[in-house]
Amino acid sequence: MISLTRIDRAEAGVMAATFLGVILHDLTTGILIGMALTGMLFIARMSREGTAHAPAADPDGPADRMVIHLSGPVFFGSVARIEGALARIDAHPRLLLLDMSQVTLIDRSGAQMIRDLSDRLARRGTRVVAVHARPVLRAGLHGSVTVAEDSARL
């Protein structure tokens, strides 16, 4: 019982709503309420994890290359925030490298966001290449953007 006092307010709210659903209706309704609220809480927390770090010049390459480091999950919950950060790119490098080494997962909307970024920058003469993506991420990026193992050969 003492451990219940240490949970955060959001989790306490989910627990209270689940309890009320069971008391006021039935067990199935209470469980469905708890599952739905837990899912929404999870999505809200995960959406704060995905980030795009400020662009920087590529230290290993020529001056006309830029690197953006993505981290965390790139999924429907974080796409809007990441896309907002990427939309503020004012520079016009010849090559933009998306460092995917810290990306934990990518879904269809994340891959579509990267495809849209690549298409938009291609019209300005910039080629977008994803680098350091784990094999499972490469499969999710297939058809969205060029994926390379290493940025040294680009």
Side-chain angles (χ1 to χ4, degrees), residues 2 11 22 25 29 60 71 88 91 104 106 123-124 133 139 149:
I2 292 174
E11 291 175 6
V22 170
H25 201 270
T29 302
D60 299 328
S71 64
R88 292 191 295 271
T104 55
I106 190 164
R123 288 190 293 273
R124 299 191 319 193
E149 292 287 326

Side-chain angles (χ1 to χ4, degrees), residues 56-105:
D58 184 4
D60 299 328
D64 61 348
R65 291 190 347 174
M66 182 180 290
V67 179
I68 294 180
H69 299 277
L70 298 178
S71 64
V74 179
F75 77 120
F76 70 92
S78 63
V79 162
R81 193 161 48 82
I82 293 172
E83 196 168 39
L86 294 176
R88 292 191 295 271
I89 298 172
D90 291 331
H92 300 286
R94 187 179 57 78
L95 178 64
L96 175 66
L97 301 174
L98 295 178
D99 182 352
M100 308 286 283
S101 61
Q102 299 297 315
V103 173
T104 55
L105 70 92

Side-chain angles (χ1 to χ4, degrees), residues 23-39:
I23 297 299
L24 297 176
H25 201 270
D26 63 12
L27 180 63
T28 304
T29 302
I31 290 172
L32 289 174
I33 289 170
M35 297 278 293
L37 292 175
T38 299

Side-chain angles (χ1 to χ4, degrees), residues 125-136:
T126 300
R127 181 174 164 227
V128 178
V129 178
V131 294
H132 307 299
R134 294 183 320 219
V136 70

Side-chain angles (χ1 to χ4, degrees), residues 112-126 128 143-144:
Q112 182 64 45
M113 182 232 3
I114 291 172
R115 179 182 297 124
D116 293 344
L117 171 73
S118 180
D119 291 346
R120 186 172 68 246
L121 292 179
R123 288 190 293 273
R124 299 191 319 193
T126 300
V128 178
S144 298

